[in-house]
Amino acid sequence: ELANAPFEDALGRGALIGLRASHDRAALLRSVLEGLAYESRLSLEGLEPFLTAPATRITAIGGSARNALLMGVKASVLNRALEVADVPEAVCLGAALLAGVGAGVYADALEAAASVRAQRQRIEPDATLAAVYEPRFQQVYKPLYATLRATGHAIAALEPEA
């Protein structure tokens, strides 16, 4: 129960907006995937001003990276190519590599990372979808949290304590 960065709102709530009677299950599923992709873009845009150089490569890991549709939607929403690492448990691998740094197996994290030879699949954005997603992100998604904040807080106030 926490809106993601940059909002950090423990009372934040999710919402499905723009629904019509003509929408079916497939449209609802796609809207959830699009929402995840929009949230990824919002987070990335919030982080980029703090980077010393532009993020030129985005690597997707974890369970959601195995969802080809989600990766395609994310690439199109971000309007950037994604590299999907073929590492089933990338977080565990990262933890093991850092443990190797701590134990002296590797001199530093760069050496540890260089020891891994993972295949990567490149997912390119769909230019037609990117052109559709861009105004929706700018005009609808970016201002959406501020628009729905009070409603989310009102819902939270009516819910019983967990």
Side-chain angles (χ1 to χ4, degrees), residues 1 20 44 51 70 72 91 116 124 132:
E1 287 192 22
R20 290 180 284 184
L44 180 61
L51 301 177
L70 176 58
V91 174
V116 176
E124 296 290 340
V132 170

Side-chain angles (χ1 to χ4, degrees), residues 21-84:
S22 61
H23 286 124
D24 59 9
R25 289 174 135 183
L28 288 174
L29 172 62
R30 187 171 189 97
S31 72
V32 169
L33 299 180
E34 289 169 343
L36 292 169
Y38 285 137
E39 193 65 19
S40 294
R41 180 169 171 184
L42 192 65
S43 295
L44 180 61
E45 286 187 0
L47 288 172
E48 284 187 316
F50 300 99
L51 301 177
T52 56
T56 57
R57 187 170 85 186
I58 300 171
T59 301
I61 63 169
S64 67
R66 292 190 291 266
N67 185 320
L69 178 58
L70 176 58
M71 293 299 99
V73 169
K74 276 192 175 184
S76 297
V77 165
L78 294 168
N79 201 15
R80 301 185 197 194
L82 295 179
E83 292 185 8
V84 179

Side-chain angles (χ1 to χ4, degrees), residues 57 93-94 96-98 100-101 106-118 120:
R57 187 170 85 186
L93 175 60
L97 291 171
L98 289 175
V101 172
Y106 303 107
D108 55 29
L110 290 175
E111 181 184 333
S115 73
V116 176
R117 301 284 181 255
R120 295 173 184 263

